[in-house]
Amino acid sequence: MKSAESMIQELLPSWQKKPEKFFLDALDVKQEHVWDKMTEVMESVRDHKLTAVKAAHGVSKTYTAARLVLWFLYCHGPKAPVITTAPTHQQVEAVLWREIRAAHAGARLPLGGNLTKTKLELAEKWFAIGFATRPDTVTEQATNFQGLHNDNVLIIFEEAAGIPKEIWEAADSLMQGGSIIRFLAIGNPTSAGGNFVECFKSSLYRQITISVFDTPNYKQNANVIPGLSGRDFVEFVEQKYGKDSAYYKSRVLAQIPDEDADALLPHAEIEKATNRMVQKWNYEKRFVVWDVADGGDDAHQIYGFANTD
């Protein structure tokens, strides 16, 4: 009887060519839970150096990305680091890496490796690691990024709209050379501008859009795949925010909004306030300015000042 290790070695060539087969043979994925857009993302990462995915809410983007981490790590070793990042530590540890830990624990075959909350290590230079790209550590993280170059590399930007430009630039340098280099930027298109938006203006990227209308749950008006968004979510967002809102465009249609979907104040209201005429005060004015966290980042800036003019 063949050992699990020998079986894995025999299957590796086919898994490398067919990530969906690895998902089904080695991981915890059921055939009935694989759908067309999920397969499209898998095959794009397999075939293209650069992939950008605009995804609505609840369309299995994190589920798919987590299992692509394991596919690349185990099928492209022994020198195949995977680097994942997101704007906040909570998004790294409690979202993407929670899915990675769940997929690893539920695998049908013994994958092995030393798994912690944000790292899975198989050997020297053969590991997956996740870290946040907070503004206060962006320079340090960009430097660390550039030091992770290897033969085969997969980089995943989760919630890519909120990742600072310094990290995008560091990733560019990391992707030069090597045998198999892959980059996946995936997330809700919550910002009207930035590096993530530029991906969809560039011919270098394989571009994918996943709206709620694409899901089997919406198409069949049933809970076909647990966890996917469907008609209830579309109706809720439409009633609460309206079809013309940036939130609807981003979270339902996966379209780049005209203004940031998470903005505290719409641009139109700011312009109204700027142009509004007010009478001159004859007393001291005190102001508090609060720059609320943007693009998924959890950093805030608060500034107070007085003006007696």
Side-chain angles (χ1 to χ4, degrees):
M1 185 174 180
K2 293 181 181 179
S3 68
E5 185 176 349
S6 64
M7 288 176 59
I8 289 172
Q9 290 301 316
E10 286 183 11
L11 289 167
L12 272 176
S14 64
W15 286 346
Q16 194 175 80
K17 294 176 182 178
K18 297 180 179 179
E20 181 177 323
K21 183 173 173 56
F22 176 78
F23 280 30
L24 297 172
D25 291 347
L27 300 183
D28 56 345
V29 180
K30 298 177 181 179
Q31 180 66 67
E32 60 268 28
H33 292 168
V34 178
W35 58 295
D36 55 349
K37 285 292 184 178
M38 183 178 176
T39 300
E40 186 179 355
V41 173
M42 293 183 213
E43 293 181 350
S44 180
V45 173
R46 178 195 65 192
D47 298 338
H48 299 273
K49 185 174 183 178
L50 304 172
T51 299
V53 181
K54 293 189 279 103
H57 172 78
V59 294
S60 72
K61 66 178 178 62
T62 302
Y63 181 92
T64 304
R67 284 151 184 83
L68 280 171
V69 168
L70 297 178
W71 166 73
F72 193 90
L73 182 69
Y74 286 97
C75 297
H76 296 80
K79 294 183 179 180
V82 181
I83 303 102
T84 79
T85 189
T88 70
H89 183 73
Q90 191 273 341
Q91 289 169 326
V92 174
E93 182 179 315
V95 182
L96 179 61
W97 274 82
R98 180 177 63 184
E99 275 294 342
I100 292 172
R101 296 192 301 270
H104 187 275
R108 294 184 173 91
L109 297 176
L111 297 178
N114 181 26
L115 177 63
T116 63
K117 287 189 174 181
T118 57
K119 189 173 183 179
L120 173 54
E121 190 166 15
L122 302 179
E124 189 73 20
K125 296 186 178 182
W126 191 9
F127 59 88
I129 189 169
F131 61 88
T133 52
R134 291 171 51 90
D136 57 341
T137 63
V138 68
T139 301
E140 175 188 349
Q141 298 294 7
T143 301
N144 292 340
F145 224 92
Q146 292 169 333
L148 295 171
H149 189 274
N150 219 311
D151 293 348
N152 304 324
V153 178
L154 170 63
I155 303 167
I156 295 181
F157 281 11
E158 169 81 345
E159 296 304 344
I163 293 176
K165 63 182 179 67
E166 292 90 344
I167 301 298
W168 286 84
E169 292 167 358
D172 287 342
S173 65
L174 182 60
M175 295 178 62
Q176 304 309 311
S179 300
I180 303 175
I181 307 294
R182 296 291 184 266
F183 174 76
L184 171 63
I186 190 168
N188 298 129
T190 54
S191 298
N195 292 82
F196 188 47
V197 172
E198 292 303 312
C199 294
F200 297 93
K201 301 176 182 178
S202 171
S203 60
L204 297 175
Y205 282 82
R206 171 74 170 87
Q207 300 159 4
I208 298 172
T209 299
I210 311 175
S211 79
V212 175
F213 296 105
D214 294 318
T215 68
N217 289 14
Y218 183 88
K219 290 179 177 179
Q220 299 181 41
N221 194 22
N223 191 31
V224 180
I225 301 177
L228 286 190
S229 293
R231 299 193 181 190
D232 288 348
F233 178 74
V234 174
E235 291 170 4
F236 169 77
V237 176
E238 182 179 345
Q239 291 174 10
K240 183 170 183 179
Y241 298 98
K243 277 189 172 183
D244 295 328
S245 67
Y247 195 95
Y248 186 93
K249 290 179 180 177
S250 170
R251 308 288 182 172
V252 173
L253 302 178
Q255 293 180 357
I256 296 167
D258 298 326
E259 58 188 31
D260 291 1
D262 296 326
L264 181 64
L265 295 173
H267 288 288
E269 295 301 320
I270 295 173
E271 289 178 2
K272 287 180 185 178
T274 302
N275 296 327
R276 187 177 295 125
M277 297 297 295
V278 296
Q279 66 181 29
K280 183 177 176 63
W281 285 291
N282 295 319
Y283 51 86
E284 182 181 87
K285 301 185 290 293
R286 293 182 175 85
F287 300 85
V288 175
V289 179
W290 185 2
D291 181 10
V292 185
D294 179 40
D297 202 325
D298 56 2
H300 297 247
Q301 296 290 333
I302 300 177
Y303 181 63
F305 62 94
N307 188 339
T308 57
D309 292 340

